[in-house]
Amino acid sequence: TWSTSIAPAHQQVRDPKDQIFVDLALTARVSALVSGDANLLALKDQFNPMNVLTPAEFHAVVHPLTDPSPQLVYMGITYFLP
């Protein structure tokens, strides 16, 4: 059960519809926000210690010794990323 209110981040995202993802990630104190969205990726170095990563970057961090071709598995479907 989540019992903390979501605090708005000081950094504003270019697309207001994406703001909730930044606010939630910072409130939850996650180490990484994974997204392919250009508006979120533009904030890559703005949130220390939280990292904003592409799916390929996240894959490289989580599976550094596996197959070097980045891929994302979602709902049982494997997506190969460039």
Side-chain angles (χ1 to χ4, degrees):
T1 303
W2 187 267
S3 61
T4 302
S5 60
I6 299 172
H10 295 291
Q11 180 69 36
Q12 297 298 304
V13 181
R14 293 185 293 202
D15 182 351
K17 292 182 275 183
D18 293 333
Q19 189 66 48
I20 188 65
F21 299 110
V22 171
D23 295 346
L24 182 58
L26 291 172
T27 299
R29 297 181 182 167
V30 300
S31 58
L33 174 61
V34 180
S35 177
D37 185 274
N39 293 315
L40 293 174
L41 292 171
L43 301 172
K44 216 172 204 3
D45 300 318
Q46 302 293 318
F47 303 108
N48 194 13
M50 182 181 79
N51 295 307
V52 180
L53 304 173
T54 66
E57 291 168 332
F58 179 73
H59 182 277
V61 169
V62 175
H63 300 288
L65 301 177
T66 61
D67 180 6
S69 62
Q71 50 185 291
L72 172 68
V73 178
Y74 178 73
M75 301 285 292
I77 300 170
T78 301
Y79 299 91
F80 293 94
L81 307 170

